[in-house]
Amino acid sequence: MSNKILKIKNISVSNDLPIVLIAGPCQLESLNHSRKIVEALCGISQKLDVKLIFKGSFDKANRTSLKSQRGVGIEEGLTILDKIKSEFKCPVLTDVHEPEQCIRTSEVVDVIQIPAFLCRQTDLLIAAGNTGKVLNVKKGQFLAPNDMTYIAEKISSVGNKNIMLCERGTSFGYHNLVNDFRSIPIMAETGYPIVFDATHSVQLPGGSNGSSGGHRKFVPTLSRAACAVGVAALFVETHDEPDRAPSDGPNMIPLSEMELLMSKVKTIDNLIKS
């Protein structure tokens, strides 16, 4: 099947086009904090000529513990994303967890993301699909890559073929994930753009006494490997102080290291797609 090309504002996304960066903090914390991160990312984007989609979550509804911080909420979160989108002229992405959130979210964001735990929730997929927005669907940790075909079919059943499929690791025993890089070409057989989530691929789900741990040192390794296979976009969560972040700190790349990561990724991507 030929590779589909999705248009996200001024960005073209496809498996055989230059790689796109989807990056931002795990949780939106404040407008000023988001500005700080997106300003740095925009600088990297311009310097390396890599298109950027800013990512930030208004709610982390799937935290391990009830005591964990969930986020700023949908109204404040969408206000932040709307201002970032307007000020920095870049597309924005956020997650939804319930069908009722889809219409409200679609009024602001350019890409709606479906979390891995929810990727088989038909009502959520249909509601998100009905917005007409581009959807980034995370592959469940419990799914085989070819099972994503059926998830894409649920979305396209309402006439929305603006779909990206995202690899983010597969459960390997308790509190551990591994990447089978065969999943990238398998999912790419659908023709839809494939995203590689380097952040959550190094997560240790629930493996840190009521929260998820992780090994951020492996993010560059897996990013380079995925780009060597060939992907449309790389998803990386980043933070100016990851060890003080309210969620996914152990998996997030320090903002100061993003330029080096993306310069190497771009070199590999150019070689593979040349």
Side-chain angles (χ1 to χ4, degrees), residues 8-260:
I8 305 173
K9 292 293 186 182
N10 64 333
I11 300 176
S12 296
V13 184
S14 181
N15 293 323
D16 51 10
L17 292 178
I19 196 164
V20 172
L21 173 63
I22 302 172
C26 178
Q27 284 190 33
L28 294 168
E29 298 175 34
S30 69
L31 178 57
N32 285 338
H33 184 256
S34 295
R35 281 179 174 140
K36 179 178 183 178
I37 292 179
V38 74
E39 184 174 25
L41 291 174
C42 283
I44 295 167
S45 169
Q46 294 169 5
K47 182 176 181 179
L48 300 179
D49 191 24
V50 175
K51 298 297 186 182
L52 170 69
I53 300 171
F54 179 74
K55 176 268 167 188
S57 299
F58 58 77
D59 183 21
K60 304 301 293 184
N62 53 2
R63 299 301 304 277
T64 302
S65 171
L66 184 62
K67 298 177 182 178
S68 300
Q69 295 184 50
R70 287 187 50 168
V72 298
I74 188 169
E75 292 305 327
E76 182 178 350
L78 292 179
T79 297
I80 291 171
L81 290 170
D82 194 33
K83 290 183 178 179
I84 292 297
K85 178 178 177 178
S86 175
E87 291 178 20
F88 293 90
K89 310 302 181 187
C90 67
V92 294
L93 171 154
T94 199
D95 321 74
V96 292
H97 295 87
E98 302 171 3
E100 294 75 18
Q101 295 175 337
C102 293
I103 292 179
R104 177 70 184 95
T105 300
S106 71
E107 294 170 353
V108 172
V109 306
D110 303 284
V111 183
I112 293 175
Q113 183 164 276
I114 306 297
F117 285 124
L118 302 177
C119 70
R120 284 179 50 166
Q121 296 298 103
T122 302
D123 291 345
L124 180 60
L125 294 172
I126 295 298
N130 276 327
T131 66
K133 292 290 183 176
V134 174
L135 306 187
N136 183 36
V137 188
K138 299 283 191 77
K139 179 178 75 65
Q141 305 91 323
F142 43 85
L143 287 183
N146 53 306
D147 290 339
M148 291 297 284
T149 301
Y150 307 110
I151 288 166
E153 287 177 353
K154 291 182 181 181
I155 298 167
S156 63
S157 72
V158 297
N160 187 345
K161 296 188 177 181
N162 299 317
I163 301 166
M164 300 189 294
L165 303 177
C166 183
E167 165 61 27
R168 50 92 74 226
T170 302
S171 295
F172 188 73
Y174 298 127
H175 301 155
N176 197 26
L177 299 169
V178 295
N179 285 108
D180 177 359
F181 286 103
R182 294 176 299 178
S183 67
I184 292 173
I186 290 171
M187 290 194 294
E189 290 175 0
T190 63
Y192 293 116
I194 304 304
V195 180
F196 181 71
D197 179 351
T199 294
H200 296 95
S201 290
V202 302
Q203 190 181 61
L204 301 177
S208 185
N209 297 319
S211 63
S212 292
H215 294 298
R216 73 168 68 100
K217 67 179 181 180
F218 294 123
V219 167
T221 302
L222 294 183
S223 298
R224 295 194 299 268
C227 291
V229 176
V231 291
L234 180 68
F235 179 105
V236 182
E237 289 182 343
T238 184
H239 198 281
D240 53 318
E241 296 182 89
D243 292 331
R244 299 182 63 182
S247 61
D248 269 340
N251 316 314
M252 282 198 281
I253 289 289
L255 192 58
S256 60
E257 298 178 14
M258 281 296 295
E259 182 176 337
L260 177 61

